[in-house]
Short mmCIF file of all heavy atoms in Angstrom, two decimals:
data_model
loop_
_atom_site.label_atom_id
_atom_site.label_comp_id
_atom_site.label_asym_id
_atom_site.label_seq_id
_atom_site.Cartn_x
_atom_site.Cartn_y
_atom_site.Cartn_z
N SER A 23 -21.07 5.66 -1.83
CA SER A 23 -20.43 4.50 -1.17
C SER A 23 -19.41 3.84 -2.09
O SER A 23 -18.32 3.42 -1.66
CB SER A 23 -21.50 3.48 -0.75
OG SER A 23 -22.40 4.06 0.18
N GLU A 24 -19.76 3.72 -3.38
CA GLU A 24 -18.82 3.12 -4.32
C GLU A 24 -17.55 3.95 -4.46
O GLU A 24 -16.43 3.42 -4.52
CB GLU A 24 -19.50 2.96 -5.67
CG GLU A 24 -20.60 1.91 -5.67
CD GLU A 24 -21.34 1.86 -7.01
OE1 GLU A 24 -21.00 2.71 -7.86
OE2 GLU A 24 -22.21 0.99 -7.17
N ALA A 25 -17.71 5.29 -4.51
CA ALA A 25 -16.54 6.16 -4.63
C ALA A 25 -15.67 6.07 -3.38
O ALA A 25 -14.42 6.06 -3.47
CB ALA A 25 -16.98 7.61 -4.86
N ARG A 26 -16.35 6.03 -2.22
CA ARG A 26 -15.57 5.92 -0.98
C ARG A 26 -14.82 4.58 -0.93
O ARG A 26 -13.65 4.53 -0.52
CB ARG A 26 -16.52 6.04 0.22
CG ARG A 26 -15.77 6.05 1.54
CD ARG A 26 -16.71 6.15 2.71
NE ARG A 26 -17.37 7.44 2.75
CZ ARG A 26 -18.68 7.63 2.57
NH1 ARG A 26 -19.47 6.61 2.33
NH2 ARG A 26 -19.20 8.84 2.63
N ARG A 27 -15.45 3.48 -1.36
CA ARG A 27 -14.82 2.16 -1.35
C ARG A 27 -13.62 2.13 -2.30
O ARG A 27 -12.56 1.58 -1.98
CB ARG A 27 -15.82 1.10 -1.75
CG ARG A 27 -15.28 -0.33 -1.64
CD ARG A 27 -16.31 -1.36 -2.04
NE ARG A 27 -17.50 -1.28 -1.23
CZ ARG A 27 -18.68 -0.82 -1.64
NH1 ARG A 27 -18.82 -0.41 -2.90
NH2 ARG A 27 -19.71 -0.78 -0.84
N ALA A 28 -13.77 2.74 -3.47
CA ALA A 28 -12.66 2.75 -4.43
C ALA A 28 -11.48 3.54 -3.89
O ALA A 28 -10.31 3.15 -4.05
CB ALA A 28 -13.14 3.36 -5.75
N ALA A 29 -11.75 4.66 -3.19
CA ALA A 29 -10.68 5.46 -2.61
C ALA A 29 -9.94 4.68 -1.52
O ALA A 29 -8.71 4.73 -1.40
CB ALA A 29 -11.22 6.77 -2.06
N LEU A 30 -10.69 3.93 -0.70
CA LEU A 30 -10.08 3.14 0.36
C LEU A 30 -9.21 2.02 -0.20
O LEU A 30 -8.10 1.76 0.30
CB LEU A 30 -11.15 2.56 1.28
CG LEU A 30 -11.87 3.55 2.21
CD1 LEU A 30 -13.01 2.86 2.94
CD2 LEU A 30 -10.89 4.15 3.20
N LEU A 31 -9.69 1.35 -1.24
CA LEU A 31 -8.93 0.26 -1.84
C LEU A 31 -7.63 0.77 -2.45
O LEU A 31 -6.56 0.15 -2.29
CB LEU A 31 -9.78 -0.43 -2.91
CG LEU A 31 -10.93 -1.30 -2.38
CD1 LEU A 31 -11.76 -1.82 -3.55
CD2 LEU A 31 -10.38 -2.47 -1.57
N SER A 32 -7.69 1.87 -3.16
CA SER A 32 -6.47 2.39 -3.77
C SER A 32 -5.49 2.88 -2.71
O SER A 32 -4.27 2.73 -2.85
CB SER A 32 -6.82 3.52 -4.74
OG SER A 32 -7.47 4.59 -4.05
N SER A 33 -6.03 3.46 -1.62
CA SER A 33 -5.15 3.90 -0.54
C SER A 33 -4.48 2.70 0.14
O SER A 33 -3.28 2.75 0.47
CB SER A 33 -5.97 4.70 0.49
OG SER A 33 -5.16 5.07 1.57
N ASP A 34 -5.25 1.60 0.36
CA ASP A 34 -4.67 0.40 0.97
C ASP A 34 -3.63 -0.23 0.06
O ASP A 34 -2.58 -0.69 0.54
CB ASP A 34 -5.80 -0.60 1.26
CG ASP A 34 -5.30 -1.85 1.94
OD1 ASP A 34 -4.82 -1.76 3.09
OD2 ASP A 34 -5.35 -2.93 1.32
N GLN A 35 -3.88 -0.25 -1.24
CA GLN A 35 -2.92 -0.80 -2.18
C GLN A 35 -1.63 -0.01 -2.17
O GLN A 35 -0.51 -0.59 -2.18
CB GLN A 35 -3.52 -0.80 -3.59
CG GLN A 35 -2.61 -1.40 -4.66
CD GLN A 35 -2.34 -2.87 -4.41
OE1 GLN A 35 -3.25 -3.60 -4.00
NE2 GLN A 35 -1.11 -3.31 -4.64
N LEU A 36 -1.74 1.33 -2.08
CA LEU A 36 -0.56 2.18 -2.02
C LEU A 36 0.22 1.90 -0.73
O LEU A 36 1.46 1.82 -0.75
CB LEU A 36 -0.98 3.65 -2.08
CG LEU A 36 0.16 4.68 -1.93
CD1 LEU A 36 1.18 4.51 -3.06
CD2 LEU A 36 -0.40 6.10 -1.93
N LEU A 37 -0.49 1.72 0.38
CA LEU A 37 0.18 1.46 1.65
C LEU A 37 0.92 0.12 1.61
O LEU A 37 2.06 0.00 2.10
CB LEU A 37 -0.86 1.45 2.78
CG LEU A 37 -0.30 1.17 4.19
CD1 LEU A 37 0.70 2.24 4.58
CD2 LEU A 37 -1.45 1.12 5.20
N GLN A 38 0.32 -0.91 1.03
CA GLN A 38 0.98 -2.21 0.91
C GLN A 38 2.25 -2.10 0.07
O GLN A 38 3.29 -2.72 0.38
CB GLN A 38 0.03 -3.23 0.31
CG GLN A 38 -1.11 -3.63 1.22
CD GLN A 38 -2.01 -4.67 0.59
OE1 GLN A 38 -1.68 -5.20 -0.47
NE2 GLN A 38 -3.15 -4.94 1.21
N THR A 39 2.19 -1.34 -0.99
CA THR A 39 3.36 -1.16 -1.84
C THR A 39 4.48 -0.47 -1.09
O THR A 39 5.67 -0.85 -1.20
CB THR A 39 2.99 -0.36 -3.10
OG1 THR A 39 1.93 -1.02 -3.81
CG2 THR A 39 4.19 -0.20 -4.02
N VAL A 40 4.13 0.56 -0.30
CA VAL A 40 5.14 1.28 0.49
C VAL A 40 5.78 0.35 1.52
O VAL A 40 7.01 0.36 1.72
CB VAL A 40 4.49 2.49 1.17
CG1 VAL A 40 5.48 3.14 2.16
CG2 VAL A 40 4.07 3.53 0.14
N VAL A 41 4.95 -0.49 2.19
CA VAL A 41 5.47 -1.43 3.18
C VAL A 41 6.42 -2.44 2.53
O VAL A 41 7.49 -2.76 3.05
CB VAL A 41 4.32 -2.15 3.92
CG1 VAL A 41 4.85 -3.29 4.78
CG2 VAL A 41 3.55 -1.15 4.77
N GLU A 42 6.01 -2.95 1.38
CA GLU A 42 6.85 -3.94 0.68
C GLU A 42 8.17 -3.31 0.26
O GLU A 42 9.23 -3.95 0.37
CB GLU A 42 6.09 -4.48 -0.53
CG GLU A 42 6.79 -5.65 -1.20
CD GLU A 42 5.94 -6.27 -2.30
OE1 GLU A 42 4.80 -5.83 -2.49
OE2 GLU A 42 6.46 -7.19 -2.97
N MET A 43 8.12 -2.06 -0.20
CA MET A 43 9.37 -1.39 -0.57
C MET A 43 10.28 -1.20 0.65
O MET A 43 11.50 -1.38 0.56
CB MET A 43 9.05 -0.02 -1.20
CG MET A 43 8.50 -0.08 -2.60
SD MET A 43 8.30 1.58 -3.32
CE MET A 43 10.00 2.08 -3.46
N THR A 44 9.65 -0.86 1.78
CA THR A 44 10.44 -0.68 3.01
C THR A 44 11.14 -1.99 3.41
O THR A 44 12.32 -1.99 3.80
CB THR A 44 9.53 -0.21 4.14
OG1 THR A 44 8.90 1.04 3.76
CG2 THR A 44 10.33 0.01 5.43
N ASN A 45 10.42 -3.12 3.32
CA ASN A 45 11.02 -4.41 3.68
C ASN A 45 12.16 -4.78 2.74
O ASN A 45 13.21 -5.29 3.17
CB ASN A 45 9.96 -5.52 3.65
CG ASN A 45 8.93 -5.35 4.76
OD1 ASN A 45 9.23 -4.76 5.80
ND2 ASN A 45 7.73 -5.86 4.55
N VAL A 46 11.98 -4.55 1.45
CA VAL A 46 13.02 -4.86 0.48
C VAL A 46 14.24 -3.98 0.73
O VAL A 46 15.40 -4.45 0.66
CB VAL A 46 12.50 -4.70 -0.95
CG1 VAL A 46 13.64 -4.87 -1.97
CG2 VAL A 46 11.40 -5.71 -1.24
N GLU A 47 14.02 -2.70 1.03
CA GLU A 47 15.14 -1.80 1.30
C GLU A 47 15.89 -2.23 2.57
O GLU A 47 17.12 -2.15 2.63
CB GLU A 47 14.63 -0.36 1.45
CG GLU A 47 14.18 0.27 0.13
CD GLU A 47 13.54 1.63 0.34
OE1 GLU A 47 13.28 1.97 1.52
OE2 GLU A 47 13.30 2.34 -0.66
N ARG A 48 15.11 -2.68 3.58
CA ARG A 48 15.77 -3.14 4.81
C ARG A 48 16.62 -4.39 4.53
O ARG A 48 17.75 -4.51 5.01
CB ARG A 48 14.72 -3.49 5.87
CG ARG A 48 15.33 -3.86 7.22
CD ARG A 48 14.28 -4.25 8.23
NE ARG A 48 13.38 -3.15 8.50
CZ ARG A 48 12.09 -3.09 8.15
NH1 ARG A 48 11.54 -4.11 7.48
NH2 ARG A 48 11.34 -2.07 8.45
N GLY A 49 16.08 -5.33 3.74
CA GLY A 49 16.85 -6.53 3.39
C GLY A 49 18.08 -6.19 2.58
O GLY A 49 19.16 -6.77 2.81
N ARG A 50 17.93 -5.23 1.66
CA ARG A 50 19.09 -4.85 0.85
C ARG A 50 20.18 -4.24 1.73
O ARG A 50 21.38 -4.50 1.54
CB ARG A 50 18.66 -3.83 -0.21
CG ARG A 50 19.79 -3.48 -1.20
CD ARG A 50 19.39 -2.35 -2.12
NE ARG A 50 20.42 -2.10 -3.10
CZ ARG A 50 21.57 -1.46 -2.86
NH1 ARG A 50 21.83 -1.04 -1.63
NH2 ARG A 50 22.46 -1.27 -3.83
N GLY A 51 19.75 -3.42 2.70
CA GLY A 51 20.73 -2.83 3.60
C GLY A 51 21.46 -3.90 4.42
O GLY A 51 22.67 -3.79 4.66
#
């Protein structure tokens, strides 16, 4: 359970970073 939770957290963190980069790129455009 701990390993599964850690994998989910890191995946969610990566997704948030990708979304934030997308928003910044849209604003820059």
Side-chain angles (χ1 to χ4, degrees):
S23 299
E24 291 175 356
R26 185 181 292 114
R27 186 180 301 108
L30 288 173
L31 288 175
S32 60
S33 177
D34 182 65
Q35 182 64 39
L36 176 61
L37 180 61
Q38 291 181 9
T39 303
V40 172
V41 170
E42 189 174 356
M43 286 185 67
T44 302
N45 292 334
V46 173
E47 288 174 350
R48 185 182 299 111
R50 185 187 185 284

